[in-house]
């Protein structure tokens, strides 16, 4: 027998109007014997119609999503809506409150925890609630990401190339409507356990973003996030009004796009985000820090294109992703 989820919503998920509340997840601990994790949720509904599920802080140190979604929850007018908008601004709420990528409770990485477990860790229980209760309600899903404390990205909205061409087309049309300066046909290093994969396997239109990083946000990237969320809802015909047209350029992540450090040390970026790169160009140098007189290790591009992501902190460890090169798509 599959257990029911221990998560209890404090608001109705299927009633007209604006409802602000929590997903309450029982969490017994030293400082609260019968305590709970309280994950903020807002549902805006007006009649039957499609449902959009919008999430931020899947990783707790990424801020454009929460900034867009706390604002949207405060301002979305149900009279302008047909259908439902389910907003969870901070999906991994314990991680968001701690300002960390993973949960301080169980070290759970939300985007490696799907499909989750109703009797697992706190992070697995949240994933399970999305898997079995929230995702099945939605037709269209937007999960905001940025680089967090260790990466920085050229701002893009993305969807994956899927085995089903018609599904890919629908997702790429939603990415185009989002209207980030860059749009990505995305490749993952390892897609196992991702929320993206869970949604795609259910046949949902799923789009995501990488809007910046460094463990903070910028005025420009917050504007992109807010316009993008509204544009997506308009594209899905859930929010009234025309999509606010914004020019975008399409990128690809072909084989050879990722570069990883093989040494630890101090990183010297040799190119900045958005700059053009030819195959063989130096992307970064890693300086040994223990003595003078040692040359830096060079990390060279394996493909031509432009820099779409970089390691953010000034020190790097062996195995860290140092740079990602994207290509303009035809
Ligand atoms: Ca992320």
């Amino acid at each position: 027998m599959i257990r029911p989820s221990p998560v209890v919503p404090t608001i109705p998920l299927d009633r007209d109007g604006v409802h602000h509340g929590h997903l309450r997840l029982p969490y017994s601990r030293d400082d609260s014997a019968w305590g709970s994790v309280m994950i903020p949720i807002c549902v805006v509904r007006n009649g039957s119609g499609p449902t959009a599920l919008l999430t931020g802080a899947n990783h707790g140190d990424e801020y454009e999503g929460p900034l867009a979604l706390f604002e949207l929850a405060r301002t979305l007018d149900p009279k302008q809506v047909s259908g439902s908008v389910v907003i969870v601004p901070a999906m991994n709420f314990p991680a968001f409150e701690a300002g960390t990528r993973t949960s301080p409770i169980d070290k759970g990485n939300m985007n490696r925890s799907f499909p989750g477990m109703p009797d697992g860790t706190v992070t697995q229980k949240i994933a399970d609630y999305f898997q079995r209760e929230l995702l099945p309600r939605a037709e269209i899903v937007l999960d905001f990401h940025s680089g967090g404390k260790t990466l920085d990205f050229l701002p893009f909205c993305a969807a994956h190339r899927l085995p089903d061409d018609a599904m890919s087309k629908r997702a790429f049309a939603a990415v185009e409507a989002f209207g980030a300066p860059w749009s990505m046909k995305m490749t993952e290093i390892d897609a196992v356990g991702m929320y993206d994969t869970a949604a795609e396997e259910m046949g949902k239109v799923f789009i995501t973003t990488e809007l910046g990083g460094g463990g903070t946000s910028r005025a420009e990237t917050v504007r992109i996030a807010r316009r993008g969320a509204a544009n997506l809802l308009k594209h899905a015909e859930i929010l009234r009004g025309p999509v606010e047209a914004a020019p975008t350029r399409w990128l690809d992540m072909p084989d050879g796009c990722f570069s990883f450090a093989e040494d630890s040390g101090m990183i010297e970026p040799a190119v900045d985000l958005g700059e053009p790169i030819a195959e063989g160009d130096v992307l970064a140098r890693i300086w040994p820090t223990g003595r003078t007189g040692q040359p830096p290790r060079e990390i060279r591009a394996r493909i031509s294109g432009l820099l779409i992501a970089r390691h953010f902190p000034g020190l790097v460890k062996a195995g860290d992703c140092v740079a990602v090169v994207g290509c303009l798509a035809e």
Side-chain angles (χ1 to χ4, degrees):
M1 192 198 87
I2 298 168
R3 280 169 197 269
S5 172
V7 173
V8 179
T10 66
I11 53 167
L13 301 180
D14 49 12
R15 220 170 287 163
D16 278 1
V18 180
H19 304 273
H20 298 284
H22 296 91
L23 302 172
R24 190 177 62 77
L25 168 57
Y27 170 46
S28 175
R29 56 196 193 269
D30 287 346
D31 68 343
S32 187
W34 288 5
S36 310
V37 174
M38 301 291 278
I39 304 160
I41 183 171
C42 168
V43 177
V44 180
R45 183 181 187 273
N46 183 14
S48 58
T51 295
L53 175 58
L54 313 181
T55 47
N58 174 324
H59 292 132
D61 59 351
E62 304 175 2
Y63 295 96
E64 283 82 0
L67 287 166
L69 296 180
F70 275 108
E71 164 83 358
L72 185 69
R74 208 174 60 81
T75 53
L76 193 57
D77 177 358
K79 290 196 291 292
Q80 300 296 314
V81 168
S82 356
S84 298
V85 185
V86 179
I87 303 169
V88 183
M91 194 178 182
N92 196 343
F93 189 68
F96 175 68
E97 280 203 303
T100 52
R101 179 174 180 82
T102 63
S103 174
I105 298 172
D106 54 20
K107 292 290 167 197
N109 180 338
M110 184 63 71
N111 224 23
R112 304 291 182 275
S113 297
F114 278 81
M117 290 203 293
D119 51 359
T121 66
V122 164
T123 307
Q124 289 168 334
K125 287 171 178 170
I126 299 170
D128 171 69
Y129 187 78
F130 274 82
Q131 174 84 27
R132 290 193 294 150
E133 299 293 339
L134 294 183
L135 277 177
R137 294 167 178 270
E139 277 76 33
I140 191 157
V141 183
L142 163 60
D143 186 37
F144 277 107
H145 285 255
S146 302
K149 285 177 177 159
T150 64
L151 293 171
D152 196 13
F153 281 89
L154 207 60
F156 64 76
C157 183
H160 297 106
R161 277 208 177 79
L162 300 169
D164 178 341
D165 269 356
M167 268 191 68
S168 289
K169 268 199 188 125
R170 286 164 66 204
F172 291 144
V175 170
E176 181 99 26
F178 184 99
W182 301 90
S183 295
M184 180 68 73
K185 296 178 176 175
M186 197 152 171
T187 305
E188 298 295 341
I189 293 174
D190 179 6
V192 173
M194 292 180 71
Y195 180 50
D196 314 43
T197 311
E200 288 160 359
E201 284 178 355
M202 277 185 222
K204 310 304 182 183
V205 173
F206 181 92
I207 70 168
T208 185
T209 67
E210 295 291 358
L211 291 177
T216 187
S217 60
R218 290 184 285 117
E220 183 209 2
T221 54
V222 176
R223 282 194 293 268
I224 293 166
R226 288 184 174 156
R227 182 186 62 204
N231 274 347
L232 181 74
L233 295 177
K234 291 169 178 170
H235 171 75
E237 298 182 349
I238 294 172
L239 180 61
R240 200 168 297 165
V243 169
E244 189 185 328
T248 190
R249 298 178 76 188
W250 279 89
L251 296 168
D252 253 322
M253 291 168 65
D255 286 349
C257 64
F258 299 107
S259 293
F260 297 91
E262 295 184 8
D263 304 270
S264 299
M266 176 172 63
I267 189 164
E268 174 193 342
V271 281
D272 287 323
L273 290 176
E275 287 185 350
I277 289 160
E279 184 184 340
D281 279 359
V282 175
L283 295 170
R285 296 180 188 88
I286 300 179
W287 289 86
T289 52
R291 62 178 70 243
T292 59
Q294 300 294 308
R297 293 279 190 154
E298 289 177 338
I299 295 181
R300 291 178 180 275
R302 292 189 290 155
I303 57 170
S304 299
L306 70 165
L307 191 71
I308 62 162
R310 52 156 285 190
H311 180 79
F312 192 77
L315 296 179
V316 68
K317 294 178 300 305
D320 287 353
C321 181
V322 162
V324 186
V325 177
C327 297
L328 284 171
E330 306 84 57

